[in-house]
């Protein structure tokens, strides 16, 4: 009878039937991979701190360990926390998306009291049909004064426009890659009205670059597709995500005001 191969070697990604063999109450022997002859998963005897450090360093072996060889039952909690963090950054107008929005829509100030408008050496503007959605992102003092809870409603609007529901293993992978959002916390916590928009831009560009590489590694671990295709899919999905947020958020706001 053929053994069901539920795990994967962290070195070569070939399927494996078991991570270890139990030869007694206190005797365990790590399984060797039939393909590469290495230990199928060395991380099962590592301290969790070491695994986390390797994940931060974007080790594909550590990513395979989490995605394929662990239960990781709380992945959905981690993903929701990270999505709320991303939502908070957009809602507070303190994210790379907000900087791009303020620059292209010509918003020089926002309701949080700091500027995210960056002066570019070239003249960039959005298509004229999208100007309506630009106005949907702008808050006036009259709007805020007429509804005490408009900021709270906008937070949930942002969350709904960012929310997605992929499959379980993809969800686990997304939660790993989205950990890069934690690097946004320093600017969200310590950034203030005196922080230049260029400083915010450089910070969020570095976070976005790290996030892109993290997603690239996770997608390669998950699908093992061609490098060029993976990069293309990531670029298209990132653009589609921001376009969806840009267009859907004003529509959701209108719906919630009915």
């Amino acid at each position: 009878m053929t053994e069901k191969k539920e795990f994967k070697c962290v070195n070569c990604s070939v399927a494996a039937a078991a991570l270890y063999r139990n030869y007694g109450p206190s005797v365990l022997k790590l399984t060797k991979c039939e393909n590469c002859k290495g230990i199928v998963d060395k991380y099962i005897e590592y301290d969790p701190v070491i695994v986390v450090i390797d994940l931060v360093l974007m080790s594909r072996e550590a990513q395979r360990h989490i995605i394929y060889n662990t239960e990781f039952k709380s992945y959905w909690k981690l993903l929701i926390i990270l999505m709320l963090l991303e939502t908070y950054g957009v809602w507070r107008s303190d994210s790379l998306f907000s900087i791009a929005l303020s620059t292209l829509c010509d918003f020089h100030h926002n309701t949080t009291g700091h500027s995210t408008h960056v002066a570019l050496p070239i003249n960039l503007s959005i298509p004229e049909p999208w100007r309506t959605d630009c106005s949907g992102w702008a808050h006036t003092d009259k709007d805020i004064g007429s509804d005490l809870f408009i900021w709270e409603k906008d937070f949930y609007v942002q969350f709904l426009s960012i929310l997605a529901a992929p499959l379980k293993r993809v969800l686990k992978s997304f939660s790993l890659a989205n950990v890069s959002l934690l690097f946004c916390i320093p600017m969200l916590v310590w950034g203030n009205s005196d922080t230049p928009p260029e400083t915010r831009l450089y910070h969020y560009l570095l976070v976005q670059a790290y996030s892109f590489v993290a997603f690239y590694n996770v997608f390669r671990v998950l699908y093992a597709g061609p490098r060029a295709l993976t990069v293309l899919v990531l670029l298209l999905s990132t653009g589609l995500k921001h376009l969806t947020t840009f267009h859907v958020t004003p529509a959701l706001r209108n719906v919630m005001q009915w």
Side-chain angles (χ1 to χ4, degrees):
M1 185 175 179
T2 304
E3 286 187 284
K4 184 179 180 181
K5 297 188 175 182
E6 299 178 345
F7 307 103
K8 281 198 174 185
C9 174
V10 298
N11 305 300
C12 63
S13 197
V14 170
L19 302 178
Y20 58 86
R21 302 290 182 183
N22 193 338
Y23 293 100
S26 59
V27 181
L28 296 177
K29 183 178 180 181
L30 299 183
T31 305
K32 287 190 176 182
C33 176
E34 297 176 357
N35 181 59
C36 67
K37 308 304 179 184
I39 300 298
V40 170
D41 192 344
K42 61 183 179 181
Y43 286 101
I44 61 175
E45 60 178 5
Y46 280 23
D47 189 274
V49 175
I50 303 298
V51 180
V52 171
I53 292 174
D54 279 0
L55 287 174
V56 172
L57 296 175
M58 293 183 285
S59 164
R60 292 186 184 177
E61 289 81 5
Q63 291 171 345
R64 290 190 185 103
H65 165 72
I66 295 295
I67 294 173
Y68 295 107
N69 300 339
T70 63
E71 290 291 335
F72 191 27
K73 294 180 179 179
S74 298
Y75 66 89
W76 60 273
K77 296 179 182 178
L78 175 61
L79 187 59
I80 289 176
I81 291 172
L82 295 172
M83 289 174 61
L84 287 172
L85 175 62
E86 181 179 11
T87 301
Y88 176 74
V90 177
W91 171 76
R92 192 175 178 267
S93 298
D94 201 349
S95 65
L96 185 60
F97 174 81
S98 302
I99 294 173
L101 181 71
S102 298
T103 302
L104 295 177
C105 292
D106 202 25
F107 297 154
H108 288 271
H109 293 88
N110 55 54
T111 52
T112 58
H114 59 260
S115 173
T116 52
H117 183 279
V118 177
L120 298 176
I122 57 176
N123 185 22
L124 293 178
S125 61
I126 64 173
E128 193 61 34
W130 293 6
R131 286 289 174 183
T132 303
D133 289 326
C134 268
S135 61
W137 282 91
H139 290 304
T140 64
D141 294 336
K142 179 180 179 181
D143 292 333
I144 297 173
S146 63
D147 190 345
L148 182 63
F149 302 105
I150 189 170
W151 273 45
E152 182 180 354
K153 289 195 304 182
D154 274 351
F155 181 84
Y156 296 118
V157 167
Q158 300 289 353
F159 184 75
L160 289 174
S161 65
I162 290 173
L163 184 64
L167 299 174
K168 180 178 178 180
R169 186 165 286 172
V170 177
L171 207 59
K172 290 171 66 175
S173 304
F174 267 64
S175 64
L176 284 182
N178 268 321
V179 169
S180 56
L181 292 172
L182 295 176
F183 293 115
C184 295
I185 292 178
M187 185 61 72
L188 293 174
V189 173
W190 291 290
N192 53 45
S193 58
D194 297 327
T195 305
E198 290 78 12
T199 302
R200 297 178 187 275
L201 175 63
Y202 298 147
H203 175 83
Y204 290 124
L205 281 176
L206 288 174
V207 173
Q208 181 65 39
Y210 180 92
S211 176
F212 188 89
V213 176
F215 268 101
Y216 172 83
N217 277 343
V218 167
F219 268 62
R220 291 275 293 162
V221 166
L222 195 60
Y223 298 113
R227 293 183 178 87
L229 180 60
T230 303
V231 171
L232 179 61
V233 169
L234 286 175
L235 290 174
L236 290 176
S237 59
T238 301
L240 182 61
K241 169 189 170 183
H242 292 313
L243 281 176
T244 301
T245 304
F246 176 74
H247 291 294
V248 170
T249 299
L252 286 175
R253 283 176 178 162
N254 292 332
V255 170
M256 294 184 71
Q257 288 174 358
W258 287 353

